[in-house]
Amino acid sequence: MSENRIYNFSAGPSMLPLPVLQRASAELCNYNNTGMSVMEMSHRSKPYEEIITSAEALLREVMGIPDTYTVLFLQGGATGQFAGVPLNMMTKNGKADYIVTGQFSQKAYEEAQKYGKANIAGSSKAQNFTYIPAQEELTLDPEADYVHICENNTIYGSKWPYLPNTGDVPLVADQSSCILSEPIDVTRYGVIYAGAQKNLAPAGVTVVTIRNDLIGTPQKGTPTVLSYETQAKSGSMYNTPPSYSIYMIKLVLEYIKDMGGLSVLAEQNRAKAAKLYAAIDASKLFTNTIRQDCRSIMNVTFSTGNEELDAKFCKEAAAAGLASLKGHRAVGGMRASIYNAMPSEGVDALIDFMARFEKENA
Ligand SMILES: *Cc1c(COP(=O)(O)O)cnc(C)c1O
């Protein structure tokens, strides 16, 4: 890698593709001969309108989002949507099903309780979130206004290996840490939302994709900025959108499109994850506790089982140019976040370092 960059395994904000950063850098002070930076530009101006329009068009193209869905660029992060989803969607029967498979789905569930009756329809908490419950383990309420899942559990390093069958009840997915990691069938979902800072762009923008017929009138008292109805009507411009982050989404999507799209990325992502898990499984020092079929290809957790040794690993890895490998405080150990922008060579460097560390600390 050039520009003295290191391999950054941060869970988010995380690495962005170097060509994207270089392009942003080249355009930083004077965007497309406008004489100003995108940061300085009115969000109602002609050049900005082109930026947000093409960001949306590219997202639709790359993810295969049909016209029957609306794309919103909002603020408040995925956490904002923990409230946004119930406020906009717990409006028919005032209840929803939550499947708790980690800390973010737990938080989403807790937030939803403020706005209606949130039920836990399945949970892997008793097994330390090491797997995703099977369809038979879920107790879904056919009268629920929606079913909420967190599709990739960033902290624990697990991923739904299937999508639950929710019948006529819309499926709502937090895809913050897996969006754009592989092709998906958008029509299986009612709502997909994602904070940008893992696979999409810098922090600041939250993408919400919602099936048009689900955009209803939100609950009374809903903050206007969180209203899907209002934001859809105003093209995400009810107020100033996170304009620079949306511009960065556009650059990331152009880059992804040029490299062949999500099927190419998925192949790369699966290969990166497969070799890292293979190294962990072959090791006598490192273990991963997630059930094989539920392992995330974006966030790979592992540990030595010894806190001091884990700390030593992270410290020495950082000194070797492998940054931010410390696991989430709720889990401990290590976590290698290997999002789209992590090059295969970065994973190789980590695997080499792990082998060296194991030899030295056997
Ligand atoms: C990072 C993350 C969040 C929190 O996102 P914010 O943008 O900080 O609100 C929520 N859910 C998942 C799955 C995440 O990975």
Side-chain angles (χ1 to χ4, degrees):
M1 256 192 300
S2 58
E3 311 224 7
N4 295 324
R5 282 167 61 79
I6 60 174
Y7 295 118
N8 170 13
F9 293 90
S10 168
S14 48
M15 288 184 84
L16 285 162
L18 183 58
V20 167
L21 293 176
Q22 286 168 330
R23 166 111 184 259
S25 160
E27 296 179 343
L28 185 67
C29 298
N30 184 355
Y31 173 75
N32 205 12
N33 291 319
T34 55
M36 60 177 86
S37 172
V38 173
M39 292 182 205
E40 303 169 303
M41 198 175 272
S42 163
H43 60 292
R44 312 264 180 211
S45 67
K46 189 98 194 134
Y48 193 75
E49 198 183 296
E50 280 169 24
I51 290 170
I52 192 167
T53 305
S54 68
E56 179 180 335
L58 281 159
L59 189 70
R60 286 184 180 278
E61 185 182 344
V62 168
M63 278 182 73
I65 304 171
D67 289 344
T68 46
Y69 285 72
T70 296
V71 173
L72 303 175
F73 297 111
L74 306 180
Q75 303 195 55
T79 307
Q81 291 309 311
F82 295 170
V85 166
L87 282 167
N88 285 280
M89 298 191 56
M90 260 191 193
T91 48
K92 283 197 190 94
N93 297 326
K95 53 181 179 172
D97 280 341
Y98 278 74
I99 303 166
V100 176
T101 55
Q103 212 176 85
F104 288 117
S105 45
Q106 172 75 27
K107 280 189 172 161
Y109 160 71
E110 285 168 12
E111 188 75 3
Q113 284 177 310
K114 294 184 188 171
Y115 307 111
K117 193 166 172 2
N119 301 302
I120 296 185
S123 171
S124 51
K125 192 172 183 182
Q127 305 284 337
N128 293 319
F129 299 123
T130 50
Y131 74 104
I132 304 295
Q135 179 82 43
E136 307 79 65
E137 294 170 64
L138 309 176
T139 45
L140 298 173
D141 176 357
E143 309 257 276
D145 286 336
Y146 60 88
V147 176
H148 180 280
I149 65 168
C150 175
E151 199 162 334
N152 184 79
N153 298 285
T154 323
I155 293 172
Y156 292 88
S158 68
K159 160 111 206 273
W160 278 75
Y162 74 102
L163 285 183
N165 179 356
T166 59
D168 291 333
V169 180
L171 178 66
V172 175
D174 176 356
Q175 285 198 349
S176 294
S177 52
C178 60
I179 194 164
L180 300 183
S181 63
E182 59 188 349
I184 59 162
D185 178 359
V186 172
T187 64
R188 301 273 312 266
Y189 303 83
V191 176
I192 296 168
Y193 67 90
Q197 66 272 24
K198 281 104 186 198
N199 253 347
L200 275 168
V205 59
T206 312
V207 173
V208 177
T209 299
I210 176 165
R211 213 174 68 209
N212 294 338
D213 62 288
L214 298 174
I215 306 175
T217 302
Q219 289 186 15
K220 229 174 114 206
T222 298
T224 313
V225 289
L226 282 180
S227 161
Y228 295 163
E229 189 183 41
T230 302
Q231 291 286 9
K233 272 190 195 143
S234 52
S236 305
M237 295 246 198
Y238 173 73
N239 66 324
T240 315
S243 54
Y244 195 77
S245 294
I246 295 170
Y247 156 77
M248 288 296 290
I249 288 188
K250 178 181 101 90
L251 296 192
V252 167
L253 288 165
E254 282 169 351
Y255 174 78
I256 291 175
K257 192 182 158 186
D258 284 351
M259 67 175 291
L262 295 190
S263 50
V264 173
L265 264 178
E267 231 173 89
Q268 293 178 0
N269 288 332
R270 287 181 197 134
K272 284 188 289 180
K275 63 185 171 186
L276 185 49
Y277 284 119
I280 294 167
D281 291 342
S283 154
K284 288 195 175 67
L285 182 62
F286 303 107
T287 49
N288 167 279
T289 58
I290 303 301
R291 206 176 73 193
Q292 290 263 356
D293 64 319
C294 305
R295 286 172 160 182
S296 168
I297 60 169
M298 294 280 101
N299 310 97
V300 178
T301 50
F302 56 100
S303 82
T304 66
N306 173 328
E307 246 177 77
E308 272 165 42
L309 203 53
D310 286 346
K312 184 169 185 249
F313 179 93
C314 293
K315 193 167 163 226
E316 291 180 10
L322 307 169
S324 303
L325 281 162
K326 191 172 186 299
H328 189 275
R329 61 192 178 280
V331 180
M334 279 75 77
R335 169 177 53 177
S337 293
I338 50 173
Y339 298 117
N340 287 350
M342 171 58 69
S344 185
E345 295 76 28
V347 177
D348 293 337
L350 173 60
I351 292 170
D352 287 349
F353 178 82
M354 288 165 73
R356 216 173 331 133
F357 186 87
E358 181 163 350
K359 224 179 258 159
E360 286 167 11
N361 293 276

